[in-house]
Amino acid sequence: MIQHEIGVLMAELGPAADLVAVAEYPGDGGWGLMVDDETIVDVELDPANAVLVLSADVCVLPEARADHWCRLMLNFNDQWLDTGGFRLALSAAGNMVSQSLILPAAGLEPALLQQRLARFVEVLGAWRAMLAREPGATEQAATPHPHPGGIIRG
């Protein structure tokens, strides 16, 4: 039942959020939301826990300062309550940074999903911009917060 409800929600989300495309992964319980030419947000349904997991690749971890970025990402993850639940991780190979967010699926309203997706893409863009900077650009006493303007919570 929840699979069908989320499928309908995803179909409505495409036009409402002005997405380039929404693709369902048949039999996989997932969807790909193409935001633009560079951004695809994967959405997976975990029916056992009634949650949606949004995830997207941020970029390849800058090798020259990998320790710095890994520490920053761990600190970010530790502040999940303040960040609205966003998480950062490394791929199994240890070179691709990904961002994720878990949302309750039961009773999820279209407007809230659209709002959370917009915030997800905004935070994703901030991390991409931070990680793409020149190696010395973020070596300062206070590391810039990757999501200015507050947190939107569901």
Side-chain angles (χ1 to χ4, degrees), residues 59-63 66-67 70 73 89-98:
C59 67
V60 173
L61 181 67
E63 199 172 311
D67 286 350
C70 287
M73 289 186 294
L90 289 175
S91 64
N95 62 345
M96 180 60 72
V97 177
S98 65

Side-chain angles (χ1 to χ4, degrees), residues 29-109:
W31 296 264
L33 309 178
M34 186 171 190
V35 177
D36 55 41
D37 290 339
E38 299 174 0
T39 307
I40 295 176
V41 176
D42 289 316
V43 179
E44 297 175 65
L45 173 62
D46 176 357
N49 293 307
V51 296
L52 287 178
V53 181
L54 280 62
S55 63
D57 288 340
V58 177
C59 67
V60 173
L61 181 67
E63 199 172 311
R65 294 180 8 103
D67 286 350
H68 166 79
W69 290 112
C70 287
R71 280 190 191 95
L72 185 63
M73 289 186 294
L74 285 170
N75 288 336
F76 179 82
N77 288 347
D78 187 48
Q79 299 175 35
W80 63 270
L81 189 58
D82 294 332
T83 65
F86 290 93
R87 299 283 185 167
L88 296 166
L90 289 175
S91 64
N95 62 345
M96 180 60 72
V97 177
S98 65
Q99 175 180 293
S100 64
L101 177 66
I102 297 174
L103 299 174
L108 186 60
E109 295 292 326

